[in-house]
Amino acid sequence: MKIEKAYDLPFPLTTVFTAWVSSDTVIPPATRMDILPEVDGHYRLIMETPEFTGRNEGVFSLVETESRLVYSCEWNGDGEVSTIDVRFEATGTGTHIELIHTGFNKEESVTNHDSGWDSYIDGFTVFLAGC
């Protein structure tokens, strides 16, 4: 099972890519990020709220600056390890992002991540507008 998404953001490629791999880019409901964007480097998203505590962790297997990222994703050590493949391309009006998220074992995960990506990009866009 997989998710395929495409987004067009009105921000320069360098801005979008740099923010995507920055530990300073915290999009609610995340409360903390820890990212080391290099091959075998880590990706950690932490959510700590009164209702929910969660941790999404992964490892980068490909990092092509301002072009492509591939990294794993696992929520709370649940054993469902998926793969996120993100491609970035400059356009005349900003940046085009193509995202493929594969490796799901459960339909519920696909549904949650599908809406989660749209929500993330909405928050990411607001974050970038404030930079």
Side-chain angles (χ1 to χ4, degrees), residues 8-20 22 25-27 88 95 97 120-131:
D8 289 296
L9 303 183
F11 306 100
L13 174 62
T14 299
T15 301
V16 171
F17 186 87
T18 299
W20 195 280
S22 173
T25 304
V26 180
I27 309 301
F88 303 84
T95 303
I97 297 173
Y120 178 81
I121 293 296
D122 287 346
F124 189 60
T125 301
V126 169
F127 176 87
L128 290 172
C131 290

Side-chain angles (χ1 to χ4, degrees), residues 39-84:
V39 172
D40 294 326
H42 60 267
Y43 166 88
R44 297 182 186 118
L45 176 150
I46 295 95
M47 294 182 188
E48 296 171 323
T49 70
E51 301 83 31
F52 177 79
T53 298
R55 188 176 185 100
N56 179 342
E57 296 187 81
V59 175
F60 287 96
S61 58
L62 178 72
V63 176
E64 295 176 353
T65 302
E66 295 186 5
S67 177
R68 186 174 177 202
L69 297 168
V70 178
Y71 52 102
S72 60
C73 168
E74 181 180 20
W75 278 98
N76 299 316
D78 69 359
E80 183 178 55
V81 179
S82 57
T83 301
I84 301 166

Side-chain angles (χ1 to χ4, degrees), residues 78-123:
D78 69 359
E80 183 178 55
V81 179
S82 57
T83 301
I84 301 166
D85 185 340
V86 190
R87 296 168 192 249
F88 303 84
E89 182 181 343
T91 67
T93 58
T95 303
H96 180 74
I97 297 173
E98 290 185 12
L99 184 142
I100 300 172
H101 194 160
T102 59
F104 298 103
N105 299 326
K106 300 173 276 195
E107 190 63 43
E108 178 184 13
S109 294
V110 174
T111 301
N112 290 342
H113 283 87
D114 187 60
S115 62
W117 279 115
D118 293 340
S119 178
Y120 178 81
I121 293 296
D122 287 346

